[in-house]
Amino acid sequence: MAARIFALLIACMLALPAHAQALLRDAQSEYALRQLAKPILAAAGLGANSVRILIIEDRKMNAFVADGQHILIHSGLLLRLKRAEELQAVLAHEIAHITNGHLTRRATNARTARNAAGLGMIMAAAAAVAGQGEAALGLAGGSVGSAQRVFMAHTQAEEASADQSGIRYMAQAGIDPSAAADVMELFRGQEALNVGRQDPYARTHPLSRDRIRAIEGFAAGYAGRAKDDPEADYWFAVVQGKLAAYLQNPAQTIRATRRDTSGLGLMRRAVAYHRMPKPADAIQAAQALVAARPNDPYARETLGWILLESRQPGPAISAYRQAVQMAPSEPLIRAGLGRALLAEGSESSVREALKVLEQSRSRDPQNPSVLRDLAVAYAKTGQNGMASVATAERFALMGRLRDAAIHAQRAVDQLPRGSAGWLRAEDILRAAQAVRR
C-alpha cells in the first residue's frame, strides 16, 4: 500500500505543470528523445526503457531528473540547442545523476530532514524547479526554497561527477563529447545574474569557470571517438522542428518551410497551418506527409490529430487505426484513437473507446488527458463509480488533491470494497491525507 501511495505522489509531482505550464505529450517527440537517449543509456548500463524523457512547456532553459526514472526538459532549452550531440550531452548529464546515485542520497537526506513531510517537500521541490511556485506552496505547506535546496539542487561535487560520467558515456557511445562544453556556454554568465533572472538550470546545476574548464578537459581527453550519426541528426530535427512549429509563430514556420518538400518540412507545415488555424491547408499538408512517409505511424497520427481537431472524427478514426497498427505499443497514439471514437459518439464507438483508452492508460498511467476521456467513457457506459476514480486520478495528477479526494470518496462509496477501482480510490485518499499532514 505504501509503495502505491508513493508512486501516486511521484506521479502528481511529474504532472504538476498544468495551468501556467504543461507537459507537452507527443508520441513522435517522445520517441525521438528515446532514440537519442538509447546509446547513452546503453553506455551507462541502463535499459533502453528504464528512463522516460518528458518535455515541459517553459521558455526557461532547464533539465532535471525527478525520481530516478524521469528526465524533464524545458522547451526553452530544447529550442536553444544547435545539434543532436548537445541534446545528448544534456541527457547524458542527467542520466549520470541517476547512475551515480545522487537522487537516492538526496531522497534519504530529505526524509531525514523532513520526516513525514518529506514526500510533500519532494513534490514541492519539483514544482518549484518547474516554475510552479503556487502549486509548490499548496502541496508542501512550507518553504519551497528550502525544499528545492534539500532535494533538487546539486552540489558542486555531484555536478563534477555527473559531468565526468556523462562525457564518458558520450564517448563510449561514439557521440562528440565537446558538445557538453558547448551546452555549458549557453549558461555562461547565468550565475552573475540575480536569482530572479537566472534560468533554473543555474540554480539547480551550479556553474563555475572551474567546472567549465574541467568539462573542456574531459572532452579533450576523449577527442577522436565521435562518429557521424545521421539518424540522431534526424530525430533531433524532428523533436526541435515539431516543438518550434507548435510553440512559435506559425507564419514564421510556413515561410521557413515553404519550399521544403521533405517529410520534416511537411510535418512542420501541417502543424503550423493547424495552429493558424487553416484546417484545409493543414489537412492537405498532413495528407502529403502520409504520402511521403507511408510507413511512418507518426505521420498518420499527425493526420488523425488534425482531422479530429477539425471536427472530422470519422476520417480521424481511420488515420489513428492505421497508426495504432503500425505502432501498437505507443500509448499516446492509442489515446488519440480513443478520443476520436468518443467524438464519433455512437454506442459501439464509445464501448470501443473505453477499451482503447484503458489499454492506453495501462501503458501510460500518468496522462491526465486519457483519464479525462476515460471518465467520459465510463460515464457514458453507466459505470459512474469508475468515472469518479478516473476523475480523482486526473485531479491528483494535476496537483489538485483536494478535488481528487472528493471524487475518490464518491468512488469508494459506489464501488465494491476491495475491487481494483476501490483500491485506486483509497490510494488517492491516503495520498491526500499524507500531503495534508
Side-chain angles (χ1 to χ4, degrees), residues 93-309:
H93 181 88
E94 299 305 329
I95 289 168
H97 279 307
I98 296 172
T99 57
N100 290 350
H102 298 158
L103 275 92
T104 302
R105 287 196 294 273
R106 193 171 301 111
T108 301
N109 292 339
R111 284 194 296 272
T112 301
R114 300 293 178 183
N115 288 329
L119 287 177
M121 299 306 290
I122 288 170
M123 293 159 61
V129 169
Q132 289 297 298
E134 292 181 4
L137 284 168
L139 282 166
S143 168
V144 171
S146 175
Q148 185 174 335
R149 286 192 297 274
V150 169
F151 185 69
M152 296 301 296
H154 295 292
T155 66
Q156 292 283 3
E158 287 175 348
E159 286 304 291
S161 170
D163 289 339
Q164 190 165 3
S165 295
I167 289 172
R168 186 174 70 252
Y169 299 154
M170 292 176 70
Q172 290 173 355
I175 301 167
D176 180 10
S178 70
D182 295 338
V183 171
M184 287 299 104
E185 288 296 327
L186 289 175
F187 297 98
R188 186 184 289 275
Q190 281 290 314
E191 289 200 330
L193 301 176
N194 64 50
V195 172
R197 294 177 59 201
Q198 286 179 346
D199 275 307
Y201 194 92
R203 300 196 297 272
T204 59
H205 297 68
L207 301 172
S208 69
R209 288 190 180 89
D210 288 343
R211 181 184 167 201
I212 292 173
R213 282 196 293 267
I215 289 172
E216 292 171 344
F218 295 149
Y222 288 107
R225 300 193 185 189
K227 300 175 291 186
D228 290 337
D229 189 349
E231 185 176 355
D233 294 337
Y234 171 76
W235 288 118
F236 174 72
V238 165
V239 69
Q240 191 177 70
K242 195 166 194 179
L243 193 61
Y246 184 75
L247 295 178
Q248 296 178 346
N249 187 324
Q252 179 180 341
T253 300
I254 298 298
R255 287 194 298 271
T257 63
R258 194 175 299 279
R259 293 182 176 83
D260 187 350
T261 59
S262 69
L264 181 60
L266 290 167
M267 178 268 288
R268 293 180 63 194
R269 211 153 47 243
V271 173
Y273 276 131
H274 180 61
R275 288 190 58 234
M276 291 183 86
K278 291 187 176 182
D281 291 332
I283 292 169
Q284 183 179 17
Q287 289 172 334
L289 171 61
V290 169
R293 297 183 62 83
N295 299 319
D296 184 348
Y298 305 107
R300 295 179 189 274
E301 182 211 20
T302 298
L303 175 59
W305 167 62
I306 291 172
L307 286 166
L308 179 58
E309 296 205 346

Side-chain angles (χ1 to χ4, degrees), residues 337-369:
L337 174 58
R339 192 169 303 118
L341 288 163
L342 272 183
E344 198 276 332
S346 69
E347 185 177 341
S348 61
S349 291
V350 171
R351 286 198 303 269
E352 184 182 356
L354 179 57
K355 178 181 177 181
V356 169
L357 290 166
E358 285 178 333
Q359 291 168 345
S360 176
R361 181 196 169 277
S362 70
R363 293 181 170 92
D364 184 10
Q366 297 161 3
N367 188 339
S369 295

Side-chain angles (χ1 to χ4, degrees), residues 1 4-5 8-9 12 388-389 392-393 396 400-415 417 421-437:
M1 180 68 74
R4 288 204 303 270
I5 295 170
L8 177 61
L9 288 169
C12 295
S388 293
V389 174
E393 290 177 332
R400 295 168 55 181
L401 286 181
R402 182 176 297 177
D403 293 328
I406 292 171
H407 288 276
Q409 187 61 58
R410 290 176 184 170
V412 165
D413 293 340
Q414 295 179 70
L415 294 171
R417 184 179 184 85
W422 186 91
L423 290 172
R424 284 159 55 189
E426 274 285 297
D427 286 348
I428 292 171
L429 290 174
R430 290 175 182 270
Q433 292 168 1
V435 171
R436 282 200 295 269
R437 295 194 199 102

